[in-house]
Amino acid sequence: MAFFEGDQVSAVSIERMVFHLVGPRPEDMVWLEEINPGRFSDFFIDRIRSVNNGLPYVFSDASATRERLRRIATDSKHFQTESEKLAEDFQRLHGGSAAAGAFLLFQLAAAGAQFFALLKYDDEKVLTYELAEGRGGRKKVSLDALERTFVQNRDALQKSALVKLTEAGGELTVLDRRNQQNVARYFENFLDAVRQFDDAEATRKMVDVTRQVIRENRDLVSPQVYQEVTKRTFDAASAGGQVGVDDQKSFLDTVVGQALPPDHPLVAKFQSALRKQRLDGTPIKFDVSNVRPPSTLRYRTKNGIQIRVPSELKKVVTVEANRIIINDPLDVSYDDTDTRL
């Protein structure tokens, strides 16, 4: 689900920022003062934007994280103290398996709306080098190691959540770089939030969107794809696998049987439909528990005659010279007032 809507993505700005050091040992917990990112604002905004497509979550009614953020939103004087409590909660729930790093809290603004970002950065050792004048016109290099770093590598940004508080609670997008389809339980517990819909429901939505887009755009697919869209979507989802935040188009490609170019009109319609369902960018591990397989093959003639054939009997129907032939003995015929099939 894309968290920021419309112009919000390009309009994101940092109003306040603080981070605290966390790690596997109690002594790793170090509180830091609020900081102005200054000329590094764009670096952090880019990291925040990278979280825009994640799994949609909702807060539980008793979420402590939601209430801490609400106190900040209500009265900015609580920003520092509540950020420290959030870092303590994160450290406590992560436990001894935590990698040393930084827990960051941002208060954001975008197109007149207020948001929060909560990020966990793992420390990565980085070697730096400096150049100095050497002999014979050569440069002399010296190496040093930095262990507490913020790096551009997306994998260093391990856990992240974007939050918009609402009267009903709040909207969240959550991303876990270690497993995009399954957010770590401790991070869910820290947020005290649950997925808006699970993999089975997300799979159903993906399948329904794909079927609808193809049925509404018959001229953009082959006759075979149009005729078999129910089976093709079911088979594509039943094959298992998953899609990440950047490759949902791969599901559509599988259904139509070819890699569509990014500027293909069907791709644009597919992506638009995903956005309407708040599914765009959502990582999904396919689960067909809620997906209905094809049970009926439908025919409709130019004159509006409709024929419905059970899938197991489709072999008795053939199409020759664009005419339908039913190779099955007639049992009974009768008139009726009901026009539904």
Side-chain angles (χ1 to χ4, degrees):
M1 178 189 77
F3 181 79
F4 294 117
E5 300 176 353
D7 296 335
Q8 290 177 343
V9 176
S10 59
V12 173
S13 63
I14 297 173
E15 292 194 328
R16 304 186 73 174
M17 169 187 175
V18 68
F19 67 93
H20 306 289
L21 305 183
V22 295
R25 302 168 301 176
E27 57 267 30
D28 291 324
M29 180 78 242
V30 179
W31 297 301
L32 302 177
E33 294 180 352
E34 181 179 352
I35 185 174
N36 184 340
R39 64 189 178 92
F40 300 107
S41 292
D42 287 345
F43 173 90
F44 290 108
I45 289 174
D46 284 345
R47 306 287 80 70
I48 291 167
R49 286 176 179 147
S50 75
V51 186
N52 192 40
N53 291 315
L55 292 170
Y57 272 69
V58 292
F59 284 118
S60 72
D61 291 339
S63 171
T65 294
R66 181 194 63 189
E67 291 311 303
R68 297 198 192 285
L69 295 176
R70 195 176 294 282
R71 288 191 196 107
I72 295 171
T74 303
D75 190 340
S76 60
K77 73 180 183 182
H78 297 301
F79 183 80
Q80 180 70 35
T81 55
E82 292 298 338
S83 74
E84 293 172 1
K85 292 175 182 177
L86 286 168
E88 289 175 350
D89 293 343
F90 182 88
Q91 169 105 348
R92 173 175 50 83
L93 290 168
H94 199 335
S97 62
F103 174 85
L104 298 87
L105 173 66
F106 297 87
Q107 191 167 3
L108 308 170
Q114 186 181 80
F115 306 92
F116 291 93
L118 300 91
L119 314 179
K120 164 62 189 329
Y121 245 107
D122 284 356
D123 285 341
E124 287 196 358
K125 181 178 288 189
V126 176
L127 292 183
T128 65
Y129 63 89
E130 292 185 359
L131 299 178
E133 293 296 333
R135 292 175 294 181
R138 296 183 179 87
K139 297 288 186 180
K140 180 171 62 176
V141 65
S142 60
L143 296 176
D144 196 4
L146 301 177
E147 296 200 10
R148 291 196 177 275
T149 59
F150 295 126
V151 297
Q152 285 188 326
N153 182 5
R154 286 187 175 187
D155 291 339
L157 182 55
Q158 281 296 312
K159 306 291 185 291
S160 47
L162 301 177
V163 179
K164 179 182 179 181
L165 297 177
T166 64
E167 291 185 3
E171 300 173 3
L172 301 87
T173 284
V174 182
L175 191 59
D176 186 336
R177 293 291 180 189
R178 291 189 182 277
N179 190 334
Q180 294 183 3
Q181 285 74 28
N182 292 291
V183 174
R185 183 60 58 85
Y186 83 84
F187 196 56
E188 290 182 330
N189 291 340
F190 161 68
L191 296 170
D192 200 356
V194 296
R195 287 184 63 172
Q196 190 172 7
F197 37 80
D198 59 17
D199 282 325
E201 182 63 12
T203 300
R204 184 192 66 78
K205 285 175 172 286
M206 174 70 80
V207 168
D208 286 350
V209 161
T210 308
R211 289 173 178 174
Q212 180 182 0
V213 167
I214 289 177
R215 286 177 181 141
E216 291 178 352
N217 296 277
R218 184 177 180 181
D219 57 319
L220 297 179
V221 297
S222 69
Q224 185 177 11
V225 169
Y226 181 85
Q227 183 179 3
E228 299 177 350
V229 63
T230 303
K231 178 180 184 301
R232 283 171 171 261
T233 49
F234 182 80
D235 289 348
S238 298
Q242 56 195 30
V243 293
V245 296
D246 300 319
D247 61 354
Q248 289 182 317
K249 176 180 153 305
S250 63
F251 184 79
L252 179 64
D253 291 340
T254 299
V255 172
V256 301
Q258 61 176 308
L260 297 173
D263 59 350
H264 193 283
L266 191 67
V267 174
K269 294 176 182 295
F270 175 69
Q271 293 171 337
S272 175
L274 290 177
R275 281 193 294 273
K276 290 179 181 178
Q277 291 296 321
R278 303 189 68 188
L279 201 65
D280 57 314
T282 299
I284 303 172
K285 184 177 181 180
F286 290 121
D287 179 347
V288 294
S289 301
N290 295 345
V291 179
R292 295 179 62 183
S295 59
T296 303
L297 185 61
R298 294 176 180 267
Y299 297 88
R300 185 177 66 243
T301 70
K302 292 290 186 181
N303 290 317
I305 299 173
Q306 298 187 52
I307 302 170
R308 187 174 63 184
V309 181
S311 294
E312 64 271 18
L313 297 177
K314 64 181 181 180
K315 290 184 177 180
V316 306
V317 179
T318 58
V319 179
E320 296 180 4
N322 211 29
R323 294 182 178 276
I324 299 172
I325 301 173
I326 301 176
N327 301 299
D328 196 40
L330 179 65
D331 180 32
V332 65
S333 66
Y334 56 91
D335 59 1
D336 199 348
T337 60
D338 190 351
T339 59
R340 294 173 302 172
L341 275 177

